[in-house]
Amino acid sequence: MFKIGIIGMGRVYDYQIEAVKEIRDIQVSAVCDTDEGKIVKKPEKARFYKNFHRMIKEEKLDAVVISLPNILHYEVAKVCLEEGLNVLIEKPAVLDIQEFKNLVKLSREKGAVFVVSLHYYFAKEVQWFKRKYDEELRKQLGEITYFRSGFFDPYIENGKLKSFAKSLNGSWIDSGINALSVIGKFIKDLEVSESRLIFIDEINRYGDIQGTVFFEFGFNNYGLIETGWVYGIDCKISRFRFENPKKEIILNHSKQQVILKESGESQIIADFSKTGNRLVNHYKGVFLDFIKHLEKGTDNIDFAYYIHSLLFDAVNINGKIEECL
């Protein structure tokens, strides 16, 4: 049984707590939030703290889960790792690739497990298709030659940004990493070729409100990821095309379904829509994976670094279109 403390009791916390209820090898011993009103959301046997420094000093924890606004991730993770605590940190782990490297270095110096919660990696439809593709479908479909992933949220309403979204650092930082967690599971040599992130200070001075990022991979293959808060929809979908031009796979993340499209006809070939809340399902996977890392003393740093590098590359080259330079 691993005793954990959760730092931050915002929107993600609700899904985490529901997921942990079904995992017998984890006990939430303590929770922390600066808002004392959140005490009503704590598990019955857990202690509530307003100060995370006090929590990690007083509690004998095996690990902490950091679920704070992105801008606070680095400093809080640094303190916890310096204390030798194992850390599971929400995506994105940091807002700068050098900060990521610093935390990895510190975790290894302290002998602590450092894992990034890339929860879409554990989506049921993603897991199912990855397994089926590796086991049998690759022979029918061939290699991936194109992808298009769209992650959209209704965070702008009547021209105004919803208050909670201010801490998300824009649609690309918030949702781009989710899409990359899916696409990166299948394609290991992605490179950002172009990035078009739209910033409108009057609406959101904290980050972009819409983004389209183009990628190259393999031999002359390409794909794109779109994120946005402006369409008024909650929709997450990833499409893959293959060497077999007659077939397309659609991962409907919102409905937890896998769809095969062939000759204009669509067929659901895997359906997890009745297996419970999709985000709770994601976090079950996150926590079960974290347990394995704690038991083995391993991490997911290689994959997380790959994903974060792409995330920040898109920010760094935003608006730089080679043909127009």
Side-chain angles (χ1 to χ4, degrees):
M1 177 72 72
F2 293 102
K3 294 182 179 181
I4 68 169
I6 300 178
I7 304 173
M9 300 172 69
R11 296 171 72 243
V12 170
Y13 169 85
D14 296 334
Y15 303 112
Q16 293 172 335
I17 285 296
E18 287 302 311
V20 168
K21 287 178 182 178
E22 300 185 38
I23 300 175
R24 63 182 181 181
D25 293 325
I26 287 181
Q27 175 185 318
V28 179
S29 299
V31 294
C32 176
D33 199 280
T34 54
D35 180 358
E36 199 163 3
K38 299 279 182 69
I39 193 170
V40 298
K41 297 170 65 175
K42 78 174 187 67
E44 183 180 354
K45 296 182 179 179
R47 293 184 64 186
F48 178 85
Y49 292 84
K50 287 186 67 178
N51 185 297
F52 85 92
H53 294 274
R54 184 181 170 195
M55 183 185 83
I56 63 176
K57 291 289 186 183
E58 294 184 3
E59 299 288 333
K60 294 182 179 179
L61 300 171
D62 296 302
V64 293
V65 179
I66 299 174
S67 299
L68 295 164
N70 300 333
I71 198 169
L72 301 176
H73 282 187
Y74 179 69
E75 292 300 332
V76 174
K78 185 178 176 183
V79 170
C80 293
L81 289 171
E82 284 174 342
E83 292 294 323
L85 277 168
N86 301 311
V87 170
L88 174 64
I89 190 167
E90 260 304 313
K91 59 81 189 172
V94 290
L95 296 174
D96 176 88
I97 201 64
Q98 186 57 52
E99 290 182 343
F100 190 92
K101 293 178 181 178
N102 294 345
L103 292 180
V104 172
K105 182 174 182 289
L106 180 59
S107 69
R108 290 177 176 166
E109 288 174 351
K110 296 294 183 177
V113 170
F114 179 56
V115 172
V116 183
S117 173
L118 300 167
H119 64 88
Y120 262 92
Y121 187 93
F122 299 98
K124 284 183 177 290
E125 72 283 354
V126 176
Q127 297 279 71
W128 183 91
F129 178 59
K130 181 66 167 75
R131 183 175 65 254
K132 285 292 184 180
Y133 183 63
D134 290 344
E135 291 176 353
E136 57 184 271
L137 291 178
R138 189 188 301 266
K139 296 177 182 177
Q140 303 174 28
L141 300 172
E143 298 300 321
I144 296 169
T145 59
Y146 169 83
F147 68 84
R148 181 172 183 172
S149 188
F151 276 60
F152 307 108
D153 290 287
Y155 292 168
I156 293 175
E157 199 168 63
N158 298 322
K160 293 184 179 180
L161 182 72
K162 293 183 178 179
S163 59
F164 71 84
K166 295 176 182 179
S167 66
L168 301 178
N169 301 102
S171 77
W172 173 249
I173 292 296
D174 181 51
S175 293
I177 197 163
N178 291 337
L180 285 167
S181 298
V182 175
I183 304 303
K185 193 178 181 79
F186 295 90
I187 304 171
K188 306 302 182 184
D189 60 344
L190 289 169
E191 293 184 6
V192 178
S193 56
E194 287 183 28
S195 175
R196 301 170 190 173
L197 309 181
I198 299 174
F199 296 80
I200 300 178
D201 286 347
E202 290 80 5
I203 298 177
N204 178 24
R205 61 188 176 88
Y206 307 94
D208 68 284
I209 60 170
Q210 183 176 336
T212 303
V213 179
F214 300 85
F215 299 84
E216 296 177 352
F217 64 97
F219 181 71
N220 205 30
N221 299 321
Y222 68 98
L224 67 148
I225 293 174
E226 299 171 285
T227 63
W229 293 348
V230 299
Y231 302 115
I233 59 173
D234 183 348
C235 180
K236 286 86 177 171
I237 291 180
S238 297
R239 301 171 180 268
F240 296 93
R241 293 178 185 167
F242 306 87
E243 289 175 308
N244 182 341
K246 297 181 180 179
K247 297 185 179 183
E248 179 181 5
I249 289 290
I250 301 170
L251 303 182
N252 188 325
H253 307 299
S254 299
K255 295 183 178 181
Q256 301 184 94
Q257 294 174 337
V258 182
I259 300 164
L260 172 64
K261 190 173 182 179
E262 184 175 10
S263 302
E265 299 292 327
S266 296
Q267 175 188 0
I268 297 173
I269 58 174
D271 188 354
F272 302 98
S273 59
K274 297 180 180 179
T275 63
N277 180 280
R278 65 181 174 87
L279 290 176
V280 173
N281 286 338
H282 292 189
Y283 281 102
K284 288 178 190 175
V286 167
F287 283 115
L288 288 171
D289 182 67
F290 188 46
I291 289 170
K292 292 177 183 177
H293 287 303
L294 290 174
E295 291 173 340
K296 298 177 181 179
T298 54
D299 56 48
N300 68 344
I301 292 308
D302 288 345
F303 183 73
Y305 181 80
Y306 170 51
I307 294 305
H308 281 75
S309 295
L310 293 168
L311 186 75
F312 299 134
D313 283 349
V315 175
N316 293 335
I317 71 165
N318 183 41
K320 296 177 182 178
I321 302 172
E322 185 176 344
E323 291 78 6
C324 299
L325 297 177

